[in-house]
Amino acid sequence: MTDLLRAWLMSLAGTALVCAAALRLTPEGRTKGVVRFLCGVCMAAALFAPLRDVAIEAYPLALARYRQAARAVTDKAEDTRRELDRAYIEREMEAYILDKARALGLGEIEAHVALRWHTAGVWLPEAVTLSCPRSAILGRWMEAELGIPETMQHWRSDEGP
């Protein structure tokens, strides 16, 4: 690309030098007007020379490829944003549950929240795994507050010894 730009600028500069020399050497009068016109045509030809190599019929195909690539990048960015949102919401819900567990006197426990993508375009809690024995109060609170049904609450005591 830079080689093409360099070649174009060199041809433009070369044409300008030849035109300047021709105009300088041409005597005043009608001949100078003709030379000035021809120099203008030569400069325009040198200026627009790169356009003769452009395949106009290939332009729509190139534009379609560009749009497809842009759509792929946008989709990838949207997927990444959605996954980052999911991770953030999981952490916040886990912290919310842990705060409530501490307030209920369950001590230091671990919680892992699993989310699912809802058709409304939001992440909703689907299940929770806790590293403590079952607590009826915390279980009812998670069902009422977070919408996690009792069947999707997994407690250490449910998993065996």
Side-chain angles (χ1 to χ4, degrees):
M1 180 67 173
T2 57
D3 291 338
L4 292 174
L5 183 62
R6 184 173 178 262
W8 176 66
L9 288 174
M10 293 297 279
S11 70
L12 204 57
T15 305
L17 285 174
V18 169
C19 286
L23 284 172
R24 184 85 168 168
L25 295 173
T26 304
E28 290 296 327
R30 191 175 257 189
T31 309
K32 191 157 189 136
V34 171
V35 170
R36 186 175 290 129
F37 173 76
L38 289 175
C39 285
V41 170
C42 289
M43 285 300 295
L47 183 65
F48 297 114
L51 294 179
R52 74 171 182 249
D53 298 331
V54 174
I56 298 299
E57 58 277 353
Y59 178 72
L61 182 60
L63 188 59
R65 270 187 259 152
Y66 171 75
R67 283 186 182 143
Q68 185 178 13
R71 193 174 307 115
V73 167
T74 303
D75 291 347
K76 178 72 172 161
E78 180 63 25
D79 290 345
T80 301
R81 184 198 59 80
R82 188 179 297 164
E83 285 303 310
L84 289 172
D85 285 349
R86 181 189 57 78
Y88 175 76
I89 292 168
E90 279 178 352
R91 280 195 316 272
E92 290 296 311
M93 283 194 169
E94 289 164 2
Y96 190 43
I97 291 169
L98 295 176
D99 286 346
K100 183 64 173 181
R102 278 188 216 103
L104 294 172
L106 296 176
E108 291 299 317
I109 64 170
E110 291 181 18
H112 176 71
V113 175
L115 300 175
R116 66 177 163 78
W117 184 251
H118 190 269
T119 54
V122 295
W123 288 105
L124 294 178
E126 182 174 41
V128 63
T129 304
L130 298 156
S131 68
C132 67
R134 181 177 296 277
S135 166
I137 296 171
L138 184 59
R140 284 193 304 271
W141 176 83
M142 287 188 295
E143 188 165 4
E145 189 73 21
L146 303 175
I148 303 172
E150 187 178 331
T151 57
M152 299 304 289
Q153 298 174 14
H154 308 286
W155 305 80
R156 183 180 68 195
S157 61
D158 293 345
E159 298 170 1

